[in-house]
Amino acid sequence: MRKIVAQLFVSVDGVMQAPENWHFPYYDERMAEVVAEQFHQSDILLLGRTTYQAFAGSWPQRGSEVPLADRINTMPKLVASTTLNTVTWQNSTLISGSAADELTKLKQQPGRNITIAGSPTLIRSLLHDDVLDELQLLVHPVVLGRGGRLFEEGGLNKSLRLAGSEVFKTGVVHLTYQPAVPQ
């Protein structure tokens, strides 16, 4: 059975917004391996509207010389949005109904994992609906103080269990969480 796996860059204080402004000083060979592994273990890229628009505005212009560009540009992409009417990036399909319902059905089909990049609103929704199978956080050793966070105050209450951890030489901590089994 397929899993839905989210992999995100976050600061110590939970900020995800604008990683292009704080992420790259911490990007090393090990992080590149972890990110590439996530994409190669998946056969579908799942995105929310905002992340889709950012990716569609930049990835199609990247060539084979950019790591993962060919993989990201050619793999099937699902876009969960209640506001978009069309998606135009190569191999993109809009989820028009309930993302949780659609993805629950898709998880039952043969294939590799479904990976989510960015898309905090979508991730919160899938956690709420018990559809997300794994949450990988690449926690960067920086406190940003402001910016959009993965979890907003007062929104979600879910128990997770730590399924793995690794500290990179740059100080980034790779944490893997899975939903806690109800007791």
Side-chain angles (χ1 to χ4, degrees), residues 53-69:
Q53 290 175 320
F55 276 33
S58 63
W59 281 102
Q61 290 76 38
R62 298 178 185 176
S64 297
E65 72 282 356
V66 176
L68 293 176

Side-chain angles (χ1 to χ4, degrees), residues 3-183:
K3 293 190 312 182
I4 298 178
V5 180
Q7 186 180 73
L8 307 163
F9 303 141
V10 298
S11 67
V12 168
D13 56 339
V15 174
M16 292 182 51
Q17 186 175 0
E20 65 276 7
N21 296 327
W22 50 267
H23 157 73
F24 289 106
Y26 304 99
Y27 196 81
D28 66 357
E29 284 183 35
R30 180 61 186 135
M31 188 182 297
E33 290 171 0
V34 167
V35 170
E37 181 179 311
Q38 177 65 18
F39 277 97
H40 291 296
Q41 289 178 351
S42 303
D43 59 7
I44 294 175
L45 175 58
L46 175 61
L47 302 166
R49 178 193 53 83
T50 301
T51 304
Y52 167 79
Q53 290 175 320
F55 276 33
S58 63
W59 281 102
Q61 290 76 38
R62 298 178 185 176
S64 297
E65 72 282 356
V66 176
L68 293 176
D70 289 339
R71 179 80 180 129
I72 290 171
N73 281 318
T74 60
M75 73 188 306
K77 291 163 274 297
L78 293 176
V79 183
S81 173
T82 58
T83 57
L84 289 177
N85 295 319
T86 61
V87 289
T88 57
W89 186 15
Q90 174 187 1
N91 297 326
S92 294
T93 303
L94 187 62
I95 297 176
S96 55
S98 163
D101 291 345
E102 194 74 27
L103 293 167
T104 298
K105 292 176 200 170
L106 188 58
K107 284 171 57 170
Q108 303 304 317
Q109 297 176 7
R112 295 187 299 204
N113 291 343
I114 300 164
T115 191
I116 305 174
S119 310
T121 302
L122 176 60
I123 290 168
R124 288 190 297 269
S125 171
L126 296 178
L127 269 171
H128 177 269
D129 293 335
D130 297 319
V131 180
L132 187 70
D133 298 294
E134 192 169 283
L135 177 61
Q136 294 185 16
L137 301 177
L138 293 155
V139 182
H140 293 55
V142 60
V143 174
L144 299 170
R146 67 175 57 139
R149 288 173 163 62
L150 175 55
F151 299 110
E152 301 297 334
E153 188 174 333
L156 185 64
N157 184 356
K158 287 285 179 180
S159 293
L160 303 173
R161 70 173 186 82
L162 183 64
S165 64
E166 177 183 359
V167 179
F168 301 161
K169 290 178 186 175
T170 59
V172 170
V173 180
H174 179 211
L175 300 169
T176 301
Y177 291 99
Q178 296 172 340
V181 178
Q183 308 231 353

